[in-house]
Amino acid sequence: MLRKIHILFLLGLGFILAQAQETIPFRLTKYNNIIVKALVNHKDSLHLMFQIAMQDASISPERTRKADHITFSSDDISDNNTLQIAQITKTNIRFFNNELTGHEADGKIGTGLFSGKVFKIDYDNNRFVVYDQLPDIKGYQAIPLYPERDQLYINANNIIDNKAQEGHFLLQSGYSGGLLYSNQFAEENELDKRLKITTEKTLKDSSGKSVITKQGILPQLKIGGIIMDQVSAGFFAGDIKTHKVNYFGADTLRRFIWIFSADRTTAYIKPSKYFTAPYYKIN
């Protein structure tokens, strides 16, 4: 009997190890950005911010660590780089030069790191887990993903005054806040009147045109069957109307554990330990 139990245990352990191929530790900053340590071209040690809204990688002009072994062309593109993060080594990585990134990072790395693989963002344990096939998703809820040009979108219902308005949100791990609405969505749904506004700031350009940033509180956001209460939400107002996309920012992303299908058409989510944590304050 003990031998049978031992064999079953080994078989189960082997199945788990076969499913979880690699694990990448990360650091979550106070700005809600994910930072991974990377070695580029076997020479340059960099701290890169994971940006779920891009495929490739980039280097920031404000980096604090040297990137002397990444050679850029005249159009600020560098191809055929080698990237090592934890036990994962990728070749033919493209870097773009002079792209701003999040606090405490020298650049960005996108979802190309997990190309063709299932991957999990485990905020409870500060790690990515990479799989060849879908792992056990018991306790997770499936939601559709809408890939567009290397970016991932979800739909969610914004509930104000007991009325739901569906929004199309870009997953944006580089924005430290919660939700950020497009100018069109904010105007069509009169968010200036319907949200509880907590802060407001006005900036003017050289021609005197103004952009007003407003932070408020959305009463409820429903993603699939999961309801988030009192969600931090911002939008722009004023003369300059250039924000065309709704963001599902890093402060909302961290409130879930995410598993992304290999074809990026489905995400599986469940609340993380941050689900009811206080929201990041946008200055």
Side-chain angles (χ1 to χ4, degrees):
M1 182 65 179
L2 287 175
R3 176 177 174 80
K4 184 177 180 181
I5 292 172
H6 182 66
I7 291 172
L8 288 173
F9 173 77
L10 291 177
L11 287 173
L13 179 61
F15 177 76
I16 292 171
L17 292 175
Q19 291 283 308
Q21 299 301 306
E22 295 106 357
T23 299
I24 300 174
F26 64 72
R27 176 171 61 87
L28 190 66
T29 73
K30 66 179 182 180
Y31 306 101
N32 301 319
N33 298 138
I34 290 174
I35 304 291
V36 294
K37 294 181 178 180
L39 183 66
V40 182
N41 295 332
H42 311 291
K43 297 286 186 180
D44 297 324
S45 296
L46 301 172
H47 289 191
L48 301 179
M49 183 196 80
F50 174 65
Q51 173 52 285
I52 198 171
M54 66 184 286
Q55 174 80 7
D56 297 304
S58 67
I59 294 297
S60 170
E62 299 177 353
R63 62 185 178 271
T64 59
R65 296 166 186 83
K66 292 183 178 181
D68 296 339
H69 297 86
I70 305 175
T71 303
F72 291 97
S73 63
S74 58
D75 54 359
D76 279 338
I77 296 175
S78 178
D79 286 319
N80 302 316
N81 295 284
T82 299
L83 178 72
Q84 182 178 343
I85 297 180
Q87 301 304 310
I88 295 179
T89 299
K90 291 280 188 178
T91 57
N92 300 318
I93 296 295
R94 168 172 284 189
F95 275 87
F96 294 92
N97 199 14
N98 294 322
E99 289 191 1
L100 294 177
T101 186
H103 299 277
E104 304 176 24
D106 304 304
K108 296 177 287 191
I109 182 67
T111 56
L113 182 64
F114 311 114
S115 182
K117 302 279 189 176
V118 177
F119 75 96
K120 176 196 285 187
I121 308 178
D122 183 355
Y123 284 100
D124 281 357
N125 296 291
N126 284 5
R127 64 182 184 177
F128 294 105
V129 186
V130 189
Y131 306 91
D132 282 335
Q133 55 187 313
L134 197 66
D136 182 10
I137 53 171
K138 183 179 180 181
Y140 288 81
Q141 180 167 147
I143 61 171
L145 286 174
Y146 303 93
E148 297 179 26
R149 299 185 302 277
D150 299 329
Q151 298 180 327
L152 302 174
Y153 290 79
I154 63 170
N155 289 339
N157 281 318
N158 304 266
I159 303 171
I160 309 173
D161 302 327
N162 296 317
K163 295 180 181 179
Q165 177 62 48
E166 188 175 66
H168 194 56
F169 291 90
L170 170 67
L171 301 184
Q172 173 52 276
S173 57
Y175 173 63
S176 297
L179 306 178
L180 183 63
Y181 293 107
S182 69
N183 293 114
Q184 182 179 349
F185 189 93
E187 291 177 1
E188 288 180 352
N189 293 281
E190 299 182 311
L191 298 185
D192 196 22
K193 299 176 182 177
R194 300 177 66 202
L195 290 187
K196 178 184 176 182
I197 304 301
T198 55
T199 62
E200 180 176 328
K201 186 182 295 183
T202 301
L203 299 172
K204 291 187 182 249
D205 67 9
S206 58
S207 63
K209 292 184 177 180
S210 65
V211 58
I212 303 170
T213 59
K214 296 191 178 187
Q215 280 298 128
I217 298 173
L218 176 71
Q220 289 186 322
L221 184 75
K222 186 176 182 182
I223 307 172
I226 302 175
I227 294 178
M228 305 173 70
D229 293 316
Q230 303 297 299
V231 181
S232 176
F235 60 95
F236 297 103
D239 304 315
I240 302 173
K241 296 178 172 62
T242 58
H243 193 67
K244 302 182 182 300
V245 179
N246 298 323
Y247 284 175
F248 193 88
D251 201 4
T252 37
L253 281 166
R254 72 177 177 126
R255 293 167 194 275
F256 298 92
I257 296 173
W258 301 76
I259 298 176
F260 294 90
S261 65
D263 63 4
R264 307 294 185 256
T265 60
T266 308
Y268 303 87
I269 62 172
K270 69 178 181 180
S272 75
K273 64 184 181 182
Y274 298 109
F275 190 72
T276 58
Y279 278 89
Y280 176 78
K281 292 184 179 180
I282 300 291
N283 294 325

